[in-house]
Amino acid sequence: MVAFVAVMMVLTGCASIPTDSAPQPVQPFNRQVPTSALPTPQQDMDPEALARAFLRATADPRNAHASARAFLSPTAAKQWDDRGDTVVLDDASLLVDERTDTSVKMRLIADNSGILKVNGQLLPANGRVETTLTMTRTTAGWRVDGALPSGVMLDRRQFESTYRLAMLYFTDPAAGASGASSARLTPDPRWFYLGNYTPTDLLSRLIAGPTTELEGAVANSFPSGARLNGRAQVVRGEGVKVDFGGLGDMSDSARNLLAAQVIWTLHDADVAGPYTLTSDGAPLVPGHAQEWRVTDVESSNPNAVQQTSVGLNVLRAGSLYSIDGQGASPVAGQMGTDQRLVAAAISPNGTRVAAVQQSPGSPRLTLLAGTYGGAVSPLASGATISRPSFGPNNNTIWAVVDGKPTQWVVTDSGTRVTVADASSIATVLRGPIAQLKVSPDGARAALLVSGQLLFASIVTSPNGALALTSPRIAAYNLGNNSTGIDWATPTTVMVARDTPEAPVAQVSISGLPAVGLLSGNLTPPLRTVAANATTVYVGDARGVLRLGSTDGQPDRSWTEVDGGMSPDAMPILPG
């Protein structure tokens, strides 16, 4: 089956959500730099054309933005401080305020659609950008001649055509602390200009470490002082050769984790192996061949999905039903007979279940957890309890109880309860946390606050304390009418919205705006969504509908799910 959910390369403005029924995958690793992609100043360019060409030329960061400096006068080129972040502009307008035969003063007004950090992280942004450009006629034609703001302004369409996305992978902090040789890997999305999109550039950023927002949520196997000895060598038909330095006395388990980070970062950027990994000329891991393949680090596959025989479930009339080709069947045990359930979640491997139960004769709610198809017992009670969420650990459950994000780790020896510090959320958006869904890798949380989607990192301190840190708006064009969220992959969240326009949207952690899915035969309001890498299910005013692929081709409409067509039905998938 063709993967349905993928990161979009389409960039959009912040005002609305475009609809695209067939999301496209990230562009693969490309060793060729398009020589015609960037404009150069021409003698016959008028001031407006030259200004727009300048904004496109800023896409190339090499040699202190030499391509863009060609559009400046010698004085302006010398004075321009291009260091720092890049503002990605959309819908730019140029308004001429003053014009003579030899000079033009104009205002640039545009939408701020994103901030590209110097480390390649793209952060969503909104608002307006306004600055003044002064143009002077020279013997070579018009040139920008005047003070420019510090940093870089880049046309969105040029960013779209000349930058590519790559996922750098970092490890679970607990793995390094425990000495494990394999770990759960977390993606850290970075954008690379095509001319800098090489294995050397990818690995240099990997060695430098994760973005600030992931600090504490992930770890880097590369120690301080680690480096590349020369450039990574790409040999056609023979893979990539990389020699590292500064690794010191790292243990074999730490070196295995390092190899997993390197190989999955390169593999997911379509840099083909085998991967020859050495440390100062010697094998990276003593006793392991210099050549590595993906199969050597398969236990850390960041794209792996836990195997389960449990498929789609539907919560309706207060009970949990399993859906198969014959329709709906009550799940064995209390979950299938309760008739008081208002929300539920199933663990990634399908062995565990958590549910929110309406207390009889009382407005209070109870959080239940136990074996899927077996016995369950109460974990907590409260006036409000959000839909529960499992992390990558099948024994770890999250829910927001009376406004407090709480984690339960259920083991044979008992249950450990930890309330997470969520005070940072209010610095971005005030209001109660209505929903919390943990990403498949466990490093991030998707949150619904006042109808808006936020991303936050999940940090566990050495003493076991939990905190939701570095919150940010996930996509400014999503609005504040979201009603349900679910992680489809470690990089993509599906969102149900109470609106007839793009009622289902996908949001990437990469910093891109939200993209809407097909909406033609949905009946708002949408109440909930469940998704995996191939299929999306929603609960609308009629019941549960499905969008995925059939016979390898993307569906062109939502399909009713047999056994799920009830106005109160909610879809539930393992994960």
Side-chain angles (χ1 to χ4, degrees):
M1 184 176 291
V2 177
F4 179 79
V5 176
V7 178
M8 292 294 298
M9 280 300 298
V10 179
L11 300 183
T12 65
C14 296
S16 61
I17 297 181
T19 299
D20 193 315
S21 61
Q24 300 297 315
V26 173
Q27 294 287 343
F29 177 77
N30 189 337
R31 295 176 177 82
Q32 301 299 318
V33 179
T35 56
S36 61
L38 293 176
T40 57
Q42 303 297 317
Q43 178 84 29
D44 60 350
M45 280 182 171
D46 60 43
E48 291 87 351
L50 186 107
R52 292 187 183 278
F54 166 68
L55 293 177
R56 295 197 301 274
T58 59
D60 186 354
R62 296 175 298 179
N63 301 318
H65 290 89
S67 295
R69 289 183 191 273
F71 290 83
L72 310 181
S73 70
T75 300
K78 183 178 180 179
Q79 293 177 346
W80 180 35
D81 182 1
D82 66 326
R83 295 169 297 180
D85 300 335
T86 296
V87 180
V88 182
L89 304 179
D90 196 17
D91 292 334
S93 298
L94 292 169
L95 305 178
V96 176
D97 291 328
E98 300 176 16
R99 183 189 294 268
T100 70
D101 290 342
T102 58
S103 67
V104 171
K105 182 176 288 186
M106 62 179 68
R107 278 178 294 142
L108 168 67
I109 302 174
D111 290 329
N112 183 356
S113 68
I115 302 295
L116 182 65
K117 309 292 286 185
V118 293
N119 63 4
Q121 182 187 24
L122 179 66
L123 294 175
N126 68 346
R128 300 286 280 175
V129 174
E130 182 171 348
T131 191
T132 299
L133 297 178
T134 301
M135 319 288 287
T136 298
R137 188 192 293 274
T138 72
T139 56
W142 289 96
R143 292 294 184 269
V144 178
D145 182 31
L148 287 171
S150 298
V152 179
M153 297 178 292
L154 171 60
D155 177 77
R156 174 189 62 83
R157 292 174 181 82
Q158 196 71 13
F159 173 79
E160 172 186 333
S161 64
T162 57
Y163 276 73
R164 293 294 179 264
L165 178 64
M167 296 295 170
L168 308 185
Y169 285 104
F170 296 95
T171 68
D172 174 7
S178 65
S181 59
S182 63
R184 187 174 66 248
L185 297 180
T186 293
D188 190 353
R190 308 292 183 90
W191 293 90
F192 291 80
Y193 176 67
L194 275 176
N196 293 336
Y197 189 48
T198 70
T200 298
D201 294 294
L202 291 169
L203 295 178
S204 295
R205 283 190 180 167
L206 184 69
I207 292 172
T211 51
T212 301
E213 70 177 33
L214 280 178
E215 289 181 356
V218 299
N220 193 5
S221 299
F222 286 96
S224 176
R227 65 183 183 276
L228 286 172
N229 289 330
R231 297 185 63 82
Q233 301 175 39
V234 180
V235 183
R236 185 179 296 275
E238 298 181 22
V240 185
K241 297 180 180 180
V242 188
D243 187 41
F244 298 104
L247 300 186
D249 58 354
M250 290 177 63
S251 66
D252 288 359
S253 60
R255 289 171 181 255
N256 275 292
L257 289 177
L258 186 152
Q261 285 186 242
V262 169
I263 291 169
W264 284 113
T265 294
L266 295 176
H267 176 270
D268 277 14
D270 278 356
V271 181
Y275 308 94
T276 300
L277 306 181
T278 55
S279 174
D280 293 321
L284 175 64
V285 178
H288 192 290
Q290 291 187 4
E291 279 195 358
W292 292 67
R293 300 182 185 276
V294 171
T295 52
D296 293 323
V297 290
E298 184 60 39
S299 60
S300 298
N301 186 345
N303 306 306
V305 177
Q306 295 191 42
Q307 297 300 308
T308 176
S309 60
V310 177
L312 176 66
N313 279 236
V314 166
L315 186 64
R316 72 180 197 202
S319 299
L320 190 62
Y321 292 81
S322 173
I323 303 294
D324 56 27
Q326 307 303 314
S329 303
V331 171
Q334 181 180 341
M335 295 290 97
T337 59
D338 192 287
Q339 298 183 352
R340 293 175 293 161
L341 305 181
V342 296
I346 300 171
S347 67
N349 69 359
T351 62
R352 308 278 295 174
V353 64
V356 180
Q357 180 194 63
Q358 180 71 59
S359 301
S362 168
R364 293 189 64 79
L365 302 169
T366 301
L367 178 65
L368 306 172
T371 304
Y372 178 83
V376 295
S377 56
L379 287 181
S381 64
T384 61
I385 301 179
S386 70
R387 175 186 173 188
S389 171
F390 283 90
N393 187 323
N394 295 288
N395 293 323
T396 301
I397 301 166
W398 283 78
V400 182
V401 180
D402 292 337
K404 298 178 180 179
T406 306
Q407 181 198 76
W408 295 263
V409 179
V410 183
T411 64
D412 292 340
S413 59
T415 300
R416 184 175 74 251
V417 185
T418 308
V419 176
D421 177 4
S423 58
S424 66
I425 304 301
T427 64
V428 175
L429 195 63
R430 292 190 176 276
I433 301 173
Q435 292 188 36
L436 182 157
K437 290 290 291 183
V438 178
S439 63
D441 53 72
R444 293 181 174 90
L447 310 166
L448 277 191
V449 179
S450 300
Q452 297 190 53
L453 175 63
L454 303 183
F455 289 139
S457 298
I458 301 173
V459 175
T460 304
S461 68
N463 64 3
L466 282 172
L468 299 176
T469 66
S470 303
R472 64 174 173 88
I473 300 292
Y476 281 97
N477 66 334
L478 198 59
N480 60 359
N481 50 13
S482 299
T483 58
I485 53 176
D486 198 23
W487 289 90
T489 71
T491 63
T492 308
V493 172
M494 287 296 175
V495 184
R497 305 169 68 231
D498 185 11
T499 174
E501 179 184 353
V504 185
Q506 69 173 26
V507 181
S508 166
I509 63 172
S510 66
L512 297 180
V515 175
L517 301 188
L518 282 168
S519 60
N521 61 326
L522 292 177
T523 305
L526 269 63
R527 295 165 284 101
T528 187
V529 62
N532 56 31
T534 60
T535 311
V536 182
Y537 297 91
V538 296
D540 74 356
R542 295 170 295 156
V544 176
L545 291 90
R546 170 191 183 277
L547 182 70
S549 60
T550 303
D551 298 327
Q553 297 298 316
D555 293 338
R556 306 304 301 179
S557 63
W558 292 84
T559 304
E560 295 181 357
V561 173
D562 289 341
M565 297 312 295
S566 174
D568 67 336
M570 294 183 287
I572 299 163
L573 287 169

